[in-house]
Amino acid sequence: MNWDSFKDDESVIGYLSKLPRYKNSSLKSLLNRGKFLFSLMYCHLFKIDKPLFIVLVTNNSCNFKCTYCYGDYGHRKGIPDFTTRELLKIIDELKEMGTRILTLHGGESLLRRDFGEIVNYAKLKGFYVSLNSNGTLVPKRISELKCLDNLCISMDGNENSNDKNRGKGSFKQALAALEAAREHKIPIVVSATLTRDNINDMEFLAKLGKEMNFRVQYSILYNFGDVKDDVRMDDHEIRRTVKKIYDLKKQGYPIYYADTVLKGSIEWPASYDNARFFTKKDREYTKDLGLIPCYHGRFKFQIDADGRIVTCWAHNRADAPNIRNLGIKKAMERCKKEKDCEHCCFLANIEHNAVMDLSFKNMIGMATIHLIDSLKIRRQGEN
């Protein structure tokens, strides 16, 4: 589609609104999930690098001002958002480049009035599509989200500690979003950012996940050096926290991570206070440690709403290659060329890297998660 042939974004949105509404199902969602795995095996077999997994930040604004936000989206000023046409061009080009998984992110994506049309278009293009949201607008716009393959809601703990991290009233809003998604049978993950304020709430979230049928993805802060000492965990606290996550998983709670990922984080061979990733210069030290290699910059990239492409948020450089002046392909090539990181301790990164490394155990675990989640979508069609 030549999106430049449209007069303006209003005419583009008008066109999108007339497209068929994508009706997700267990089988369709499972096929889109499977395409990623088969593409991954193909790329490994023929030694091809492709952006199979893309995190696309749709806008620079957020209605929250979380103190630990890696992108400071609650305070960004003067940075233009992608227009509707720009987002559609990005989606089209990613499809041509072989992208299979598209995670839409913010900021808060639902602040975009065109978001429902963007999601529908991406699903019609054949992507596996997930959304990360703070949940505030989910109940109001739930009808636009029913075609999602996954919805990730941010919730850091019980009401007191969550609201301290994310703002007054945010817990109740996130809970309402979870209820709305559960009612419409959209597979849910809760993303919990762990700080010193909420590490005692991990069991609360695990129990809530079991009760409401969602998985919990705990995360340690990326920008640990930029947050206040009273919330930043030290090396001992981080290891103890990850051990607690591991114990909760062993007790049967719906924890997102594989055992190998959690053990790798518990046994991270450096102090968390000083080194949370290893680079090429550390090879002499890391060569015999059996660490999971990093595939960000080969199979996975993040595209920020300001146009920058980074391998992951731990390397959120202000001077990162930008698609606004380089285009997507050249920006990705530069990002890949400039990548120095080879191993890290961040749980979500290790999980994705373990799958992209074609670890049999992790692939089976992830396949099981996707099978279960896709069956939830099937039940939606039956109700």
Side-chain angles (χ1 to χ4, degrees):
M1 176 64 68
N2 179 14
W3 299 111
D4 289 327
S5 65
F6 290 85
K7 179 182 176 181
D8 51 28
D9 270 2
E10 290 299 324
S11 56
V12 172
I13 295 171
Y15 169 79
L16 294 175
S17 68
K18 296 176 183 177
L19 294 177
R21 300 297 96 181
Y22 187 90
K23 296 186 183 301
N24 213 347
S25 69
S26 172
L27 180 59
K28 288 194 285 188
S29 185
L30 194 58
L31 286 174
N32 282 330
R33 297 162 195 259
K35 286 177 185 177
F36 169 74
L37 180 58
F38 286 115
S39 295
L40 186 61
M41 291 189 290
Y42 178 87
C43 287
H44 270 281
L45 180 63
F46 293 101
K47 296 180 171 32
I48 298 170
D49 291 351
K50 280 187 178 183
L52 299 176
F53 189 159
I54 293 292
V55 176
L56 175 59
V57 182
T58 61
N59 51 310
N60 289 290
S61 55
C62 186
N63 49 353
F64 281 9
K65 292 181 172 60
C66 303
T67 56
Y68 53 70
C69 180
Y70 52 81
D72 201 28
Y73 293 105
H75 298 92
R76 287 193 181 188
K77 303 291 182 185
I79 304 174
D81 285 338
F82 291 123
T83 65
T84 305
R85 278 189 283 196
E86 285 175 327
L87 272 181
L88 294 172
K89 287 179 182 179
I90 291 170
I91 290 170
D92 285 349
E93 188 165 354
L94 291 175
K95 181 67 177 179
E96 291 175 7
M97 295 174 71
T99 299
R100 296 299 189 184
I101 294 178
L102 189 62
T103 293
L104 302 175
H105 216 294
E108 174 49 50
S109 294
L110 290 175
L111 292 174
R112 293 188 65 107
R113 66 186 184 88
D114 63 357
F115 187 75
E117 299 299 344
I118 295 296
V119 171
N120 187 64
Y121 181 75
K123 287 303 303 171
L124 290 172
K125 293 286 287 188
F127 292 97
Y128 166 95
V129 181
S130 63
L131 167 65
N132 284 40
S133 170
N134 61 34
T136 53
L137 298 171
V138 166
K140 181 180 178 181
R141 303 185 66 176
I142 193 69
S143 63
E144 301 170 60
L145 306 179
K146 290 192 292 184
C147 63
L148 287 172
D149 296 286
N150 181 269
L151 175 62
C152 181
I153 300 295
S154 299
M155 178 185 280
D156 290 348
N158 66 29
E159 186 167 6
N160 287 334
S161 54
N162 180 86
D163 287 7
K164 183 176 180 180
N165 272 4
R166 303 179 56 77
K168 188 176 181 180
S170 58
F171 176 83
K172 290 179 179 177
Q173 291 172 314
L175 197 60
L178 294 173
E179 291 283 9
R182 187 169 69 153
E183 180 183 349
H184 288 82
K185 300 298 186 289
I186 302 172
I188 317 166
V189 171
V190 158
S191 175
T193 300
L194 299 176
T195 69
R196 207 171 265 171
D197 284 336
N198 66 334
I199 53 176
N200 293 323
D201 287 350
M202 287 186 290
E203 189 168 0
F204 167 83
L205 289 172
K207 288 179 177 178
L208 187 63
K210 202 166 192 178
E211 176 187 331
M212 297 187 69
N213 195 22
F214 62 73
R215 300 182 191 280
V216 186
Q217 183 182 52
Y218 302 100
S219 297
I220 310 296
L221 286 173
Y222 282 99
N223 56 346
F224 69 104
D226 300 327
V227 297
K228 296 178 181 179
D229 287 338
D230 59 346
V231 298
R232 184 172 68 235
M233 292 185 284
D234 60 24
D235 179 83
H236 175 71
E237 288 170 317
I238 290 173
R239 293 180 196 275
R240 187 178 64 193
T241 297
V242 181
K243 176 63 166 57
K244 177 65 174 177
I245 298 171
Y246 181 74
D247 291 342
L248 288 170
K249 186 168 191 282
K250 285 301 181 184
Q251 292 170 37
Y253 289 106
I255 308 302
Y256 181 81
Y257 301 111
D259 290 356
T260 52
V261 170
L262 294 169
K263 288 178 181 178
S265 189
I266 295 168
E267 298 166 1
W268 178 245
S271 170
Y272 279 96
D273 296 329
N274 302 315
R276 297 196 178 189
F277 53 85
F278 293 117
T279 63
K280 293 176 182 177
K281 66 180 176 60
D282 301 308
R283 283 180 178 173
E284 190 62 29
Y285 174 67
T286 60
K287 63 181 182 180
D288 297 320
L289 296 178
L291 299 175
I292 297 171
C294 177
Y295 289 92
H296 291 65
R298 284 191 60 193
F299 301 140
K300 183 181 178 183
F301 295 85
Q302 268 94 297
I303 303 177
D304 202 350
D306 59 13
R308 292 176 305 124
I309 292 187
V310 298
T311 52
C312 78
W313 301 131
H315 300 281
N316 197 16
R317 294 170 25 220
D319 63 345
N322 198 303
I323 67 174
R324 293 190 184 277
N325 50 46
L326 293 173
I328 296 178
K329 289 182 180 179
K330 287 186 178 179
M332 279 188 182
E333 288 170 3
R334 261 192 54 184
C335 186
K336 177 184 173 182
K337 183 178 180 181
E338 295 173 1
K339 177 191 171 182
D340 192 38
C341 187
E342 295 192 330
H343 311 279
C344 82
C345 67
F346 297 107
L347 291 171
N349 286 0
I350 304 175
E351 182 78 21
H352 293 147
N353 284 329
V355 172
M356 290 188 283
D357 194 45
L358 297 184
S359 160
F360 180 75
K361 186 174 181 180
N362 287 73
M363 286 171 61
I364 292 298
M366 190 60 67
T368 301
I369 288 174
H370 283 300
L371 176 61
I372 292 171
D373 280 357
S374 61
L375 291 176
K376 294 176 184 176
I377 297 174
R378 183 193 66 183
R379 288 198 294 270
Q380 176 188 11
E382 293 174 352
N383 289 340

